[in-house]
Amino acid sequence: MKKVTLLCALLASVSALLAQDYNYKFRLTLNDKGQTPYTIDKPEEFLSPKAIERRRRQGFAIDASDLPISSEYIKAIENVGGVIVAKSKWMKTVAVHCSDSMLVDKYKELPFVSDALFVWKGKPKGETKTDSIVNYLSTETVAFGNYYSKSGTNIELNNGQALHNAGFKGKGMTIAVIDAGFNHLPQIEMLNNLDIKGYKGFVYENEDLFNNANQHGLNVLSCIGTNKPMQFVGTAPEAGFWLFGSEDSRSEFPIEEDYWATAIEYADSVGVDVVNTSLGYNNFDKPAKSYTHKDLDGKTALISRAADKASQKGMLVVISAGNSGDSEWRKITPPSDAVNVLTVGAIQQDSSIVGFSSRGLTADLRIKPDVMALGLGAATIDDKGHVSFKAGTSFSSPIMCGMVACLWQAFPALTNREIVNIVRQSSDNFETPDQDYGYGLPDMGKAMSLAQSLVEKKEKAASQVKEASKKKK
C-alpha cells in the first residue's frame, strides 16, 4: 500500500510539472451580469453619441444587453486567479487566462457562473503558425493607368463604379475591420491617406497590430480603403476606419471567438456603421472541440451569435464565406452562418464560382452565401506597399463591404437589414438562389434604383400616416 501511495504521489508530481509547461484559457458563462452603476436611461455613459444615433435612426432600442458586466463579478473572478483577457456583455461571458488548469473548478464554484469551457491551451511563448495568405500572382509594383488601374476588376464585376460615379465613395461612413494584423501600415505610402479613426488589439500577449504582425488585415483593409487614383482605388476610399485585431495567428482555438466578440462590442460602442471580418472558425486545435455541420444554425457558435447581436444594434456586418469549398468540410464557417449578416462567396473574373469558395446551406436551411464578389486574382496592397493579387473569400468580403457602405451612404434613411435585402435583390440569381452562388452577383447600379424606390415608398407611407393624423385632429 505504501508503494502504491508513493507511486501515485510521484505521478501527481510529474503531471503537475508537465502542466506547468502550459497555460490555459477558460470561457466563463454567467447567469446574469449583476448590478452596475449604469442604466439604459443614460446610454451616453457607456455608448458614444454616434452609437446612440445609429440605434435611434434605425429604431433599435437600447436594452439590458448593452449594460456592462458588474465590476464586482469581475473582481470576484480575478480573486480566484488568472487574468481576464476578454469579456462580452452581449453573450454574458468572461474569458480568463491562467497557468493552473485546476482553477476551472474554482471558477465554477462562483455563484454567478453557470459554466466554464476550455477555449485555449498553449506554451507561454508559442510558435507562430504559418501565414495562410495565398499569392495568386507574383507581387507587382504600382503602375499608373485609368482611375482604378489594377483594382478595376475588384469593383467593376459588381458595377460598383456606379456608386462612385454618383458621388458615393463612403464619406461619413465608419467601417471596422476585425482581422489579424495590419503589418507595416504606418509605413506604407499607398495607404498613407486612409482616415484611421482608431485601432486596438484584442489578442492577449499579441496586441501590436503593426510590427512583426500578420498582414492579412492589411490586405483586407486595402481592398476597401486605398485611395490613390490612377494607381489603386478601393471600394469605399473615403470612409473612416477602425482597425481591430482578434485573430491569433499562433494557433487556432475557440478563444478567438471571445476576442472577436469583444472587438465587435467595442466597434458598436464607438459608433461603427459597417463591419468587415474575413475570419471563420470550424476546426480547432486539439483538445478543443471543433464544430460540425449541425452547428451551422447561427445559434451555436459564440462568434455567430455575437455577429447577429451586432446586427440587432444597427451595424451592418459583412463576412467572408470561407475557403473550404474544395475540402472535406465544404461548408461556410462561423460566423458566416449568422442570421442577419451579409455572407460573401468568391467568383473569378469570368463570374463563375471559385472552387474553394465555401458553400451553403445553413443547418436550418437558410441561403448562404448571400452574394458573390471577386475572390480570385483580387487586387490588394501587401505589407511591402506593392500591389499583390490574392485568392480567398477574405478579399471578396471587403470588396463587397466597401460597396455596401457606399450604398448606405447614398440612402442613410434605410436600415442595415433593408440594405442587406436590397443587395440580395439586386443580384443575378435572386429568383433562384442556391447553395453555391446564394443570390448571386449584385449589381450596385440596380441596388441604387431599388433603394431609391424603397425610400420613396417609405416616404409616401409616412406622408399618408401624417395626413391621416391631421384629419383625426
Side-chain angles (χ1 to χ4, degrees):
M1 178 65 75
K2 190 172 183 180
K3 289 183 179 180
V4 172
T5 302
L6 288 173
L7 179 61
C8 290
L10 179 62
L11 289 173
S13 298
V14 171
S15 297
L17 184 62
L18 290 174
Q20 290 175 3
D21 290 335
Y22 289 95
N23 288 330
Y24 304 87
K25 292 183 178 71
F26 298 97
R27 179 189 301 153
L28 313 183
T29 301
L30 313 182
N31 292 314
D32 57 69
K33 293 190 291 186
Q35 297 296 317
T36 78
Y38 303 104
T39 67
I40 60 175
D41 296 327
K42 295 182 178 180
E44 64 277 3
E45 295 181 356
F46 52 90
L47 292 174
S48 69
K50 199 170 187 298
I52 296 169
E53 172 57 22
R54 189 193 63 234
R55 284 167 165 78
R56 186 205 62 76
R57 187 177 73 249
Q58 299 178 73
F60 291 107
I62 295 169
D63 58 31
S65 68
D66 292 302
L67 296 174
I69 296 170
S70 164
S71 60
E72 294 302 316
Y73 284 6
I74 298 300
K75 289 178 184 176
I77 293 169
E78 291 175 331
N79 288 339
V80 171
V83 178
I84 291 176
V85 298
K87 53 188 176 182
S88 170
K89 60 185 180 182
W90 295 346
M91 300 295 104
K92 292 189 292 188
T93 58
V94 176
V96 187
H97 173 96
C98 61
S99 57
D100 182 3
S101 63
M102 300 303 290
L103 283 180
V104 66
D105 293 323
K106 294 184 179 180
Y107 293 134
K108 289 180 178 179
E109 291 174 359
L110 292 170
F112 54 84
V113 173
S114 62
D115 194 16
L117 177 71
F118 164 82
V119 289
W120 182 87
K121 176 183 178 181
K123 297 283 187 178
K125 292 184 179 180
E127 296 181 0
T128 301
K129 70 182 182 184
T130 303
D131 189 348
S132 61
I133 298 171
V134 180
N135 273 308
Y136 174 56
L137 297 174
S138 60
T139 301
E140 299 181 46
T141 55
V142 176
F144 287 87
N146 59 24
Y147 179 73
Y148 293 105
S149 190
K150 292 184 180 297
S151 63
T153 308
N154 285 13
I155 193 166
E156 290 164 1
L157 283 175
N158 295 105
N159 193 22
Q161 69 272 18
L163 286 159
H164 292 186
N165 292 339
F168 303 109
K169 299 180 181 180
K171 192 173 184 61
M173 302 298 293
T174 306
I175 301 173
V177 178
I178 306 179
D179 215 286
F182 302 83
N183 199 39
H184 297 166
L185 174 61
Q187 292 81 42
I188 295 175
E189 185 177 351
M190 282 290 287
L191 300 172
N192 65 5
N193 58 346
L194 269 68
D195 180 10
I196 305 298
K197 302 295 186 183
Y199 57 88
K200 187 175 178 63
F202 291 90
V203 178
Y204 182 62
E205 297 182 324
N206 195 31
E207 294 90 353
D208 192 336
L209 302 180
F210 306 125
N211 300 295
N212 297 314
N214 196 295
Q215 68 166 311
H216 190 266
L218 179 84
N219 304 145
V220 166
L221 171 65
S222 71
C223 294
I224 313 172
T226 307
N227 191 12
K228 297 290 183 177
M230 311 304 289
Q231 299 178 73
F232 190 117
V233 179
T235 50
E238 295 181 359
F241 296 92
W242 278 89
L243 311 180
F244 301 127
S246 71
E247 164 73 6
D248 189 346
S249 58
R250 299 169 295 181
S251 59
E252 195 82 339
F253 280 103
I255 184 62
E256 292 168 85
E257 297 185 73
D258 298 85
Y259 294 147
W260 193 91
T262 305
I264 202 165
E265 288 182 17
Y266 190 92
D268 167 52
S269 71
V270 297
V272 163
D273 301 301
V274 182
V275 177
N276 183 85
T277 195
S278 293
L279 303 171
Y281 304 97
N282 66 291
N283 188 33
F284 296 113
D285 295 343
K286 293 181 179 180
K289 182 182 177 182
S290 296
Y291 290 121
T292 68
H293 286 169
K294 291 182 180 179
D295 297 323
L296 298 175
D297 57 2
K299 302 175 183 177
T300 299
L302 178 91
I303 193 170
S304 300
R305 290 184 282 123
D308 184 53
K309 196 70 173 178
S311 76
Q312 296 174 32
K313 304 302 179 183
M315 287 184 285
L316 200 163
V317 185
V318 185
I319 300 175
S320 59
N323 301 329
S324 301
D326 52 7
S327 72
E328 183 179 354
W329 173 263
R330 187 174 168 78
K331 293 279 192 177
I332 56 173
T333 52
S336 61
D337 63 320
V339 177
N340 292 301
V341 303
L342 190 69
T343 301
V344 187
I347 56 167
Q348 47 197 331
Q349 293 185 18
D350 65 0
S351 298
S352 63
I353 192 170
V354 184
F356 61 70
S357 185
S358 289
R359 272 53 169 193
L361 303 170
T362 63
D364 53 337
L365 304 181
R366 284 176 289 113
I367 295 295
K368 290 289 176 181
D370 291 288
V371 295
M372 310 294 281
L374 184 67
L376 183 61
T380 73
I381 304 297
D382 66 19
D383 62 356
K384 294 180 177 62
H386 298 155
V387 176
S388 184
F389 295 89
K390 297 183 180 291
T393 58
S394 282
F395 311 109
S396 57
S397 179
I399 287 171
M400 180 55 58
C401 175
M403 289 184 274
V404 168
C406 294
L407 180 64
W408 208 4
Q409 174 201 0
F411 300 96
L414 299 181
T415 68
N416 57 350
R417 296 181 189 179
E418 287 170 338
I419 292 291
V420 168
N421 287 331
I422 283 168
V423 172
R424 290 170 178 157
Q425 291 169 31
S426 74
S427 302
D428 61 1
N429 204 36
F430 179 69
E431 298 297 335
T432 56
D434 57 43
Q435 64 184 2
D436 296 329
Y437 292 86
Y439 295 101
L441 195 64
D443 179 330
M444 287 299 142
K446 183 177 180 180
M448 291 176 70
S449 296
L450 290 169
Q452 182 62 43
S453 295
L454 180 57
V455 168
E456 291 172 357
K457 183 178 180 181
K458 292 177 71 173
E459 288 176 346
K460 183 178 180 180
S463 177
Q464 289 174 340
V465 169
K466 188 176 180 178
E467 288 298 319
S469 178
K470 285 181 179 180
K471 289 179 180 179
K472 285 183 180 179
K473 290 180 180 180

